[in-house]
Amino acid sequence: MTQTTTTESNPLLARGLPQFRSIQPEHALPALEQRLAEYRQAIAEIETLLADRPEAVSYASVVDKETLADDALSNTWSSISHLHSVNATEHWREA
């Protein structure tokens, strides 16, 4: 299981605009692992709801939940991708 990282220790997990000056290559993998775990958890919760309580299914319980998880993952990956493009150092290529 992935260890949870906090926004204080990993700026890639913070809400809002990325603080690029604070992001280091060693933040990339833990942030992606956490976002993927969160996304998988959201999908598992949706699947459980669909299987166990189909009457409780709504737009918010499916689409909103998946969209929020997807947005968090996309924002994290976008920041990493951008930094890799503009700062293609050996450390970023390894990350």
Side-chain angles (χ1 to χ4, degrees), residues 32-85:
L32 283 175
E33 288 174 340
Q34 182 165 331
R35 292 298 189 213
L36 283 168
E38 292 166 357
Y39 188 84
R40 289 180 182 120
Q41 179 62 36
I43 297 302
E45 290 172 8
I46 291 168
E47 290 173 339
T48 298
L49 179 67
L50 291 170
D52 296 346
R53 297 181 43 227
E55 72 283 353
V57 172
S58 67
Y59 186 88
S61 66
V62 176
V63 178
D64 284 350
K65 182 183 263 317
E66 189 279 334
T67 299
L68 289 172
D70 182 66
D71 285 350
L73 177 58
S74 295
N75 289 341
T76 298
W77 177 249
S78 178
S79 296
I80 293 167
S81 178
H82 171 73
L83 284 169
H84 184 269
S85 296

